[in-house]
């Protein structure tokens, strides 16, 4: 009972208060809810008054009193009133989660204050402190504090600064009054003193004002009918840039690196950021700038790269700097970066990066010269294979796994053994590439070689496969190839010449062995021997830009008495050697040939390689190709349009340029009759979309959508090329969605579409050992067991997927996907262009063109060395690369990692980082060859010490 009474007594007062409150407001609450609006307004006003706390009411009264003082005739009251206003506003702007109270209370007075400020006369500041007077009289000077600076500005300027802050909450869109009053005030004060939101507001209005001034200049130029190319003169943006440079230090020190870069980008003055970047901010600034490059139009993209490189140089970050010089393609900049460090170990690291990009710089240091020549690539690759236990040669059956192929009812497969053996040649070469111990060729017994199990052109490819099997091993490999170099059969001899070129791919030797062996056959009367020698030289010296080789080969391009096959293959070889060089002599020779030869000759299947040779000269050179493109417009034969598209595509390869992709898609929209008009340029345009967008993730994703549309609505020539474009877009990167798409295309009614799709599956999975893809290809082998051509492509694709037993990739992007290798792009593109007419090349006598892919092949490893150039096994974490651009703090750069001991294999989208701080890397990216140094300040964790102690006790 007592408990019940207590509970009742507790409940009664709570319930009794409600009616009292309602009675206070009005006796009849029900009527009040339906009462007149005037009652509501009165109530709202009363509540608004009640909302103001005592402090707020006091602040509001004080602010209104200060505003009244500014209206009074006594000018002596103005400055103290303004300084009090400034203090009140500043103390409230430290946090911007809500509108600060002073700004809120002053908002109704804004227009009145603006008129007042405009009516005041200009007068210099007279406020000087006693201390300043004394120090100036004595001749001493003291560093000016922010308060001193504030004291030195005139009263009207101080008023303008305060209005600039108030304008944030009042100003209408488009008036830019925050910026207007800041410029009118002309204060030397740090804008950051007014808070972060004020700085951001100013930055936004600076960009708008700059665009408005540009528009004015253009409008004036149009009125006067003058050229408006120099849109904004320096005088027009000087005041804006000066103010922007006051904001940049504040943004950089308050985690606003991206805002600082964007601000100077809008004002077209990005190079001015360099002096403001320090050791704390350079990493985030440069990371953001470099990631913006693919989204910027020329010439701003190069300007960003140059600025980022300059920042890296000032911070002595040599590996990052040399990577940007390589992206810019400036050989002088590359030499500067290479010569800059005095530390020999850093120089070795830079040499490894240059060797990966196949850029050679003359140096007297033998160690560096050996690294730059890639002389130890074969030795290190085999050591890597030994660590992974993949040294043993694989047989064809181990790759095909025919016992796992789903059996199909019906008659046995009718596949000619010559075609089957030819497929075996390529599979054996790709799978055992670089190890030099395959059972069919390199380790075959005398007289029992696989070559003799092939016919004619099959012998050519079989002999050439030795160069792939013994890839990069110039010491042992040449003696193996030499056995076939003097064979009686023309095709075997030609294959041996190509093998000599393949084995030297990406390798330089002091003796110039490849040139010595091949140059004597470059004028041979035998077409296969001449073509093989020429292409062999092209592959061996790709990217070297050697003038003596140009002099040796160039005559064959211009000589119209030679067949178009020889001229086209010579042009292609020169394209490989001078890739991305814009060489004028070769350009003129190829253009002259296009104009002089008969149209019927140029229409032959070989014509496309004449165009490709020309296009490769401009790989990645963007606007440098304009003159050549204009000349090609004058070539009336269909080859002119093919060449025009290819040159345009190659010059913007890997840039992600949206306008060029739209141009290429425009070519694909035309519905041409292949019997009346040549439609090969459309195939090149489709490949072009992939080639331009492959360097940029967003662009690549958008391209895949466009390819889906092209497959639905495109002409047959376009549909046959789309799978190949997907192969380029995702080389050695088996993305599930792309694999499923290609799997669907591989069952297409058009056999040529299916063949392209199957080959593209090989490119996408090249060197990955992808189990899902291997299973798909086994099913396709069963599905096409009665189609010799399709089965041949399936077998080649199986060889590509298991390339180097899973240790070699073909993707042209490396160093954390930041650098594009021109030589690798050339090899990949040449292989795909050969496949645009698979019946004319790959299924005919030119299947050896599949070996163009060798130029793109490179081991997917991470090998670590110590400072004495010895192998140093360290623990690393390997996981999927994560984009951390613009993220706050120090976010993890990899996700879902596994811990391994180096040497370790890296996937195309994977990234590695050191698991402990015991060693410090000389390179900013753990990929390929990396030099490490011992961290002197490293101490083992307690856990590690405990583990070590336990081991000692157990011992």
């Amino acid at each position: 009972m007592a408990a019940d009474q207590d509970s009742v007594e507790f409940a009664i007062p709570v319930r009794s208060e409600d009616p009292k409150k309602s009675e206070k407001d009005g006796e009849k609450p029900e009527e009040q809810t339906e009462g007149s609006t005037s009652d509501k307004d009165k109530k709202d006003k009363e509540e608004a008054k009640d909302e103001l706390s005592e402090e707020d009411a006091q602040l509001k009264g004080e602010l209104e009193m200060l505003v009244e003082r500014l209206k009074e005739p006594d000018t002596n009251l103005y400055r103290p009133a303004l300084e009090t206003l400034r203090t009140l506003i500043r103390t409230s702007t430290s946090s911007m989660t809500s509108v600060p109270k002073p700004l809120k209370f002053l908002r109704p007075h804004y227009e009145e204050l603006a008129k007042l400020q405009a009516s005041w006369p200009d007068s210099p500041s007279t406020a000087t402190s006693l201390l300043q007077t004394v120090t100036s009289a004595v001749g001493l000077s003291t560093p000016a504090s922010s308060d001193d600076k504030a004291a030195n500005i005139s009263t009207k300027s101080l008023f303008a600064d305060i209005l600039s802050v108030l304008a944030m909450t009042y100003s209408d869109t488009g008036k830019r009054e925050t910026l207007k009053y800041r410029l009118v005030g002309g204060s030397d004060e740090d804008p950051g003193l007014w808070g972060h939101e004020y700085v951001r507001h100013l930055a936004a209005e600076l960009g708008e004002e700059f665009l408005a001034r540009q528009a004015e200049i253009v409008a004036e130029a149009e009125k006067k009918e003058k050229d408006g190319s120099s849109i904004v003169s320096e005088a027009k943006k000087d005041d804006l840039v000066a103010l922007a440079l006051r904001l940049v230090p504040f943004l950089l020190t308050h985690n606003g690196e991206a805002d600082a870069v964007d601000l100077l980008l809008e004002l077209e003055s990005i190079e001015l950021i360099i002096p403001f970047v320090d050791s704390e901010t350079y990493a985030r600034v440069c990371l953001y700038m470099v990631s913006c490059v693919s989204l910027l139009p020329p010439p701003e993209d190069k300007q960003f790269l140059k600025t980022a490189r300059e920042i890296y140089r000032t911070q002595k970050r040599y590996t990052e700097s040399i990577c940007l010089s390589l992206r810019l393609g400036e050989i002088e900049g590359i030499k500067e970066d290479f010569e800059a460090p005095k530390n020999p170990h850093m120089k070795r690291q830079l040499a490894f990066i240059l060797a990966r990009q196949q850029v050679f710089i003359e140096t007297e240091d033998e160690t560096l010269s050996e690294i730059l020549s890639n002389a130890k690539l074969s030795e290190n690759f085999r050591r890597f294979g030994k660590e992974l236990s993949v040294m043993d040669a694989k047989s064809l059956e181990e790759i095909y796994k025919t016992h796992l192929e789903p059996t199909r009812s019906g008659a046995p497969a009718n596949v000619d053994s010559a075609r089957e053996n030819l497929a075996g040649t390529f599979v054996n070469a790709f799978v055992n590439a670089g190890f030099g111990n395959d059972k069919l060729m390199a380790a075959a017994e005398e007289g029992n070689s696989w070559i003799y199990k092939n016919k004619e052109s099959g012998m050519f490819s079989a002999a050439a496969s030795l160069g792939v099997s013994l890839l990069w091993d110039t010491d042992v490999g040449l003696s193996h190839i030499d056995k076939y170099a003097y064979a009686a059969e023309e095709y075997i001899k030609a294959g041996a010449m190509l093998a000599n070129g393949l084995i030297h791919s990406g390798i330089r030797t002091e003796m110039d062995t490849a040139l010595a062996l091949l140059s004597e056959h470059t004028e041979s009367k035998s077409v296969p021997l001449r073509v093989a020698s020429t292409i062999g030289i092209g592959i061996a010296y790709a990217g070297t830009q050697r003038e003596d080789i140009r002099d040796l080969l160039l005559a064959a391009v211009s000589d119209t008495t030679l067949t178009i096959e020889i001229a086209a293959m010579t042009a292609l070889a020169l394209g490989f050697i001078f890739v991305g060089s814009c060489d004028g002599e070769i350009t003129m020779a190829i253009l002259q040939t296009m104009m002089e030869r008969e149209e019927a000759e140029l229409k032959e299947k070989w014509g496309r390689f004449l165009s490709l040779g020309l296009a490769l000269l401009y790989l990645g050179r963007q606007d440098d190709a304009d003159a050549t493109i204009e000349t090609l417009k004058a070539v009336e034969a269909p080859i002119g349009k093919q060449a025009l598209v290819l040159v345009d595509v190659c010059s913007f390869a890997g840039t992600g340029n949206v306008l060029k992709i739209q141009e290429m898609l425009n070519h694909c929209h035309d519905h041409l009759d292949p019997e009346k008009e040549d439609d090969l340029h459309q195939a090149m345009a489709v490949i072009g979309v992939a080639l331009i967008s492959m360097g940029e993730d967003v662009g690549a994703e958008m391209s895949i959508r466009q390819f889906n549309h092209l497959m639905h609505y495109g002409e047959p020539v376009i549909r046959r090329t789309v799978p190949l474009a997907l192969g380029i877009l995702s080389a050695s990167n088996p993305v599930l969605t792309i694999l499923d798409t290609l799997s669907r295309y591989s069952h297409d009614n058009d056999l040529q579409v299916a063949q392209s799709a199957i080959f593209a599956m090989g490119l996408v999975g090249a060197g990955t050992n992808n189990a899902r893809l291997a299973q798909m290809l086994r099913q396709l082998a069963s599905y096409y067991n009665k189609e010799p051509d399709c089965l041949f492509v399936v077998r080649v694709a199986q060889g590509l997927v298991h390339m180097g037993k899973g240790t070699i990739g073909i993707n042209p992007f490396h160093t954390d996907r930041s650098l594009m290798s021109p030589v690798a792009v050339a090899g990949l593109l040449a292989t795909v262009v050969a496949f645009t007419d698979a019946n004319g090349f790959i299924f005919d006598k030119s299947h050896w063109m599949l070996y163009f892919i060798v130029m793109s092949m490179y081991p997917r490893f991470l090998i670590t060395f110590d400072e004495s150039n010895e192998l140093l096994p360290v623990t690393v974490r390997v996981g999927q690369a994560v984009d951390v651009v613009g993220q706050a703090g120090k976010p993890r750069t990899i996700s879902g990692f596994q811990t391994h001991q180096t040497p370790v294999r890296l996937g195309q989208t994977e990234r590695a980082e050191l698991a402990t701080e015991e060693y410090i890397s000389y390179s900013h990216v753990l990929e390929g060859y990396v030099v490490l140094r011992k961290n002197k300040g490293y101490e083992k964790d307690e856990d590690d010490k405990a583990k070590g102690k336990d081991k000692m006790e157990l011992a």
Side-chain angles (χ1 to χ4, degrees):
M1 281 292 287
D4 291 345
Q5 283 174 355
D6 290 344
S7 62
V8 172
E9 284 170 10
F10 177 75
I12 288 168
V14 174
R15 291 177 61 192
S16 65
E17 280 180 15
D18 286 334
K20 280 181 185 175
K21 192 173 182 183
S22 63
E23 282 171 21
K24 191 177 177 182
D25 292 337
E27 287 183 6
K28 293 180 182 176
E30 292 171 7
E31 287 179 17
Q32 193 182 21
T33 53
E34 296 171 8
S36 62
T37 53
S38 61
D39 292 341
K40 278 188 179 181
D41 291 343
K42 283 176 186 175
K43 185 181 174 185
D44 290 343
K45 284 177 184 177
E46 284 171 13
E47 283 180 1
K49 282 179 184 176
D50 292 341
E51 272 178 23
L52 284 181
S53 66
E54 193 177 329
E55 283 182 14
D56 288 353
Q58 187 183 344
L59 176 62
K60 189 177 182 186
E62 192 178 347
L63 290 168
E64 287 174 352
M65 184 261 294
L66 291 169
V67 171
E68 287 303 319
R69 277 193 187 169
L70 293 174
K71 296 177 189 174
E72 291 178 14
D74 187 357
T75 54
N76 293 328
L77 297 173
Y78 293 171
R79 190 162 191 100
L82 289 171
E83 285 178 351
T84 311
L85 270 177
R86 180 180 63 193
T87 309
L88 288 169
I89 293 170
R90 276 191 190 166
T91 50
S92 66
T93 48
S94 56
S95 169
M96 286 301 291
T97 49
S98 61
V99 178
K101 294 280 171 59
L103 298 188
K104 185 177 170 185
F105 296 145
L106 287 171
R107 194 167 184 266
H109 303 285
Y110 175 75
E111 286 187 352
E112 196 178 0
L113 290 172
K115 288 175 187 173
L116 199 60
Q117 194 270 349
S119 67
W120 283 9
D122 294 324
S123 60
S125 171
T126 54
T128 52
S129 67
L130 180 63
L131 177 65
Q132 286 174 314
T133 312
V134 173
T135 50
S136 60
V138 176
L140 298 172
S141 61
T142 55
S145 67
S146 59
D147 291 335
D148 296 336
K149 284 182 181 176
N152 285 331
I153 63 171
S154 71
T155 308
K156 187 171 182 178
S157 297
L158 179 57
F159 199 174
D161 281 358
I162 291 168
L163 282 172
S164 175
V165 180
L166 291 180
M168 282 197 298
T169 58
Y170 183 84
S171 181
D172 295 330
T173 309
K175 285 190 176 179
R176 300 185 288 282
E177 291 186 347
T178 301
L179 175 62
K180 172 189 156 186
Y181 284 114
R182 182 74 201 183
L183 293 174
V184 166
S187 168
D188 288 336
E189 236 181 343
D190 178 11
L193 294 170
W194 294 104
H196 199 276
E197 192 64 26
Y198 177 68
V199 171
R200 288 183 60 191
H201 214 84
L202 263 184
E205 290 193 0
L206 275 168
E208 289 172 17
E209 177 66 19
F210 182 68
L211 289 174
R213 291 187 186 184
Q214 275 187 326
E216 283 174 24
I217 296 290
V218 171
E220 283 174 26
E222 285 174 357
K223 281 179 186 175
K224 295 174 184 176
E225 294 181 353
K226 287 181 181 178
D227 178 27
S229 55
S230 56
I231 295 175
V232 178
S233 62
E234 284 302 311
K236 279 283 181 184
K237 68 172 184 176
D238 274 356
D239 55 340
L240 301 182
V241 172
L243 180 53
L245 295 180
R246 308 281 298 284
L247 304 181
V248 167
F250 178 85
L251 291 169
L252 290 177
T253 51
H254 291 77
N255 296 321
E257 292 89 354
D259 294 332
V261 171
D262 291 343
L263 174 59
L264 290 177
L265 167 63
E266 286 182 320
L267 300 181
E268 297 176 2
S269 306
I270 190 63
E271 67 283 352
L272 299 178
I273 201 172
I274 297 170
F276 298 101
V277 180
D278 58 21
S279 57
E280 298 293 322
T281 54
Y282 82 89
R284 285 164 60 84
V285 169
C286 292
L287 182 64
Y288 180 71
M289 286 179 70
V290 172
S291 65
C292 286
V293 169
S294 57
L295 309 173
L296 292 171
E300 286 174 353
D301 52 353
K302 285 193 174 179
Q303 189 63 47
F304 258 51
L305 285 174
K306 286 176 181 175
T307 306
R309 179 180 67 180
E310 202 54 46
I311 293 170
Y312 280 136
R313 282 178 176 176
T314 55
Q315 297 299 326
K316 298 187 176 176
R317 302 294 302 181
Y318 301 113
T319 56
E320 289 100 323
S321 174
I322 205 165
C323 285
L324 295 184
S325 293
L326 287 166
R327 278 184 74 169
L328 286 162
E330 296 177 356
I331 195 68
E332 288 305 315
I334 294 166
K335 284 179 181 173
E336 273 180 46
D337 288 323
F338 185 65
E339 298 297 338
K342 300 290 180 255
N343 185 333
H345 310 302
M346 176 56 84
K347 275 206 165 181
R348 268 176 49 224
Q349 184 63 68
L350 296 180
F352 282 130
I353 293 171
L354 292 178
R356 176 67 184 92
Q357 189 74 349
Q358 294 183 32
V359 173
F360 188 81
I361 290 177
E362 293 294 335
T363 175
E364 293 176 4
D365 189 316
E366 287 184 16
T367 310
L368 294 179
S369 196
E370 186 180 68
I371 292 169
L372 289 162
S373 304
N374 270 323
K376 292 279 184 78
L377 182 57
S378 176
E379 180 189 324
N380 288 323
F381 174 64
R382 288 181 184 178
R383 197 185 290 171
F384 171 60
K386 199 172 181 181
E387 286 284 338
L388 297 181
S389 306
V390 293
M391 280 301 290
D392 297 340
K394 284 205 171 189
S395 64
L396 298 180
E397 180 51 36
E398 283 177 284
I399 301 302
Y400 296 161
K401 295 182 180 172
T402 46
H403 62 283
L404 295 176
E405 288 177 9
T407 53
R408 289 169 66 89
S409 56
N414 180 26
V415 180
D416 58 343
S417 60
R419 177 58 59 90
E420 194 176 357
N421 287 353
L422 182 62
T425 299
F426 289 106
V427 173
N428 177 63
F430 289 136
V431 171
N432 297 298
F435 290 101
N437 60 354
D438 69 286
K439 293 167 187 171
L440 298 186
M441 292 294 301
E445 294 175 15
E446 197 70 40
N448 192 27
S449 175
W450 180 258
I451 289 178
Y452 300 104
K453 294 184 181 177
N454 291 276
K455 296 176 183 175
E456 295 188 346
S457 60
M459 290 179 163
F460 186 145
S461 288
S465 74
L466 256 180
V468 185
S469 180
L470 295 156
L471 192 59
W472 310 311
D473 186 4
T474 51
D475 297 334
V476 177
L478 292 172
S479 57
H480 278 282
I481 295 165
D482 200 51
K483 292 186 285 188
Y484 305 104
Y486 305 100
E489 290 92 339
E490 185 182 55
Y491 283 108
I492 296 177
K493 196 173 179 181
M497 292 303 108
L498 183 57
N500 278 325
L502 291 170
I503 203 171
H504 285 89
S505 175
I507 307 290
R508 289 168 190 257
T509 54
E510 285 183 27
M511 306 296 291
D512 254 356
T513 322
L515 190 61
L517 291 167
L518 300 173
S519 57
E520 59 187 278
H521 300 292
T522 51
E523 294 182 3
S524 169
K525 290 179 182 176
S526 159
V527 173
L529 193 57
R530 183 167 188 168
V531 167
S533 302
T534 305
I535 289 295
I537 290 173
I539 292 172
Y541 293 95
T544 57
Q545 301 180 19
R546 280 182 48 173
E547 292 181 11
D548 56 330
I549 299 176
R550 179 181 62 196
D551 298 339
L552 175 70
L553 299 177
L554 195 58
V557 177
S558 310
D559 191 348
T560 51
T561 60
L562 297 171
T563 62
I564 184 74
E565 179 184 353
I566 292 172
M569 288 295 102
T570 307
L572 181 62
L574 286 167
F576 288 157
I577 296 164
F578 287 85
V579 62
S581 67
C582 301
D583 190 277
E585 285 185 47
I586 301 170
T587 302
M588 290 309 297
I590 296 174
L591 287 171
Q592 190 179 342
T593 301
M594 286 180 176
M595 291 174 178
E596 289 179 359
R597 283 189 182 264
E598 294 294 323
E599 192 172 322
E601 263 190 307
L602 297 172
K603 274 186 176 178
E604 286 184 36
K605 63 183 182 182
W606 298 99
R608 70 196 69 199
F609 288 108
L610 202 60
S611 305
L612 182 60
L614 176 62
L616 289 175
L617 298 173
Y618 295 95
L619 189 72
R621 296 307 294 266
Q622 299 193 20
D623 296 331
D624 293 345
D626 286 352
T628 305
I629 288 170
E630 288 304 315
T631 312
L632 284 167
K633 288 177 182 174
V635 178
E636 292 177 5
I639 195 172
K641 198 161 189 181
Q642 295 164 25
L644 192 145
V645 171
L646 267 174
V647 170
D648 215 5
V649 160
C650 283
S651 57
F652 285 88
T655 60
N657 189 297
V658 180
L659 296 175
K660 287 295 167 189
I661 292 174
Q662 288 173 347
E663 267 184 53
M664 295 305 121
L665 290 170
N666 207 29
H667 286 300
C668 301
H669 291 158
D670 302 329
H671 294 279
L672 306 173
D673 183 352
E675 292 178 9
K676 296 177 184 175
E677 294 178 89
D678 187 87
D679 56 5
L680 183 60
H681 70 278
Q682 291 188 318
M684 301 307 172
V686 174
I687 292 170
V689 172
L691 202 63
I692 294 167
S693 62
M694 69 178 174
E696 200 249 312
D697 292 341
V698 178
E701 211 170 301
M702 296 299 289
S703 313
I704 293 168
R705 291 188 192 180
Q706 294 298 331
F707 291 145
N708 286 336
H709 295 314
L710 292 175
M711 281 303 278
H712 282 116
Y713 309 113
E715 294 296 307
V717 68
I718 292 171
R719 294 185 77 250
R720 288 164 190 164
T721 318
V722 165
L724 297 173
L726 286 169
I728 290 177
L729 205 58
S730 194
S732 286
N733 182 21
V735 179
L736 207 56
T737 50
I738 291 180
L739 286 184
D740 289 342
T741 304
L742 289 173
S743 178
R744 195 166 68 249
Y745 296 159
S746 66
H747 295 82
D748 198 271
N749 293 332
D750 184 341
L751 274 185
Q752 289 182 41
V753 172
Q755 289 158 5
S756 293
I758 295 164
F759 182 65
M761 288 165 86
L763 295 179
V764 168
T768 62
N769 282 350
N770 189 286
R772 184 190 176 102
L773 186 49
Q775 175 61 22
M776 285 179 183
L777 291 170
R778 281 196 293 274
Q779 288 172 344
L780 286 168
S782 171
Y783 185 78
Y784 287 117
N785 69 337
K786 293 180 184 176
E787 291 284 348
D789 287 349
C790 290
L791 186 59
F792 171 77
V793 185
V794 171
R795 295 306 184 204
V796 170
Q798 285 179 309
L800 288 171
V801 170
H802 296 91
M803 183 184 280
K805 289 167 265 190
T807 57
I808 295 175
I810 60 167
N811 198 292
F813 287 89
H814 60 93
T815 315
D816 202 13
R817 294 179 295 163
S818 63
L819 285 175
M820 182 182 79
S821 167
V823 174
V825 173
L828 191 59
L829 187 55
T831 315
V832 168
V833 167
F835 229 93
T836 53
D837 184 5
N839 292 327
F841 294 113
I842 308 299
F843 303 140
D844 195 28
K845 293 183 179 179
S846 302
H847 32 71
W848 55 267
M849 287 185 178
L850 288 171
Y851 291 131
F852 286 148
I853 201 84
V854 168
M855 293 162 64
S856 306
M857 289 164 60
Y858 196 85
R860 301 162 55 222
F861 57 38
L862 164 61
I863 297 178
T864 47
F865 296 101
D866 60 16
E867 293 186 328
S868 56
N869 213 19
E870 296 296 320
L871 273 180
L872 176 66
V874 294
T875 313
V876 291
R877 299 192 191 103
V878 178
Q880 285 297 311
V882 177
D883 187 8
V884 295
V885 178
Q887 289 186 21
K890 291 186 178 178
R892 286 214 170 271
T893 54
I894 59 173
S895 69
F897 61 81
Q898 292 181 321
T899 307
H900 298 277
Q901 191 93 345
T902 58
V904 68
R905 175 166 41 187
L906 292 177
Q908 183 56 32
T909 57
E910 287 180 333
R911 189 181 283 162
E913 59 181 36
L914 293 169
T916 66
E917 295 179 359
E918 188 175 355
Y919 292 94
I920 297 171
S921 166
Y922 277 98
S923 173
H924 66 293
V925 174
L926 294 188
E927 193 177 305
Y929 299 113
V930 176
V931 182
L932 303 177
R933 64 182 168 87
K934 189 87 174 170
N935 183 1
K936 291 175 183 175
Y938 174 73
E939 289 183 11
K940 285 192 174 181
D941 293 340
E942 293 299 321
D943 294 346
D944 294 341
K945 288 178 183 175
K947 283 176 191 171
K949 195 175 179 184
D950 292 345
K951 284 178 185 174
M952 285 172 71
E953 285 172 2
L954 287 166

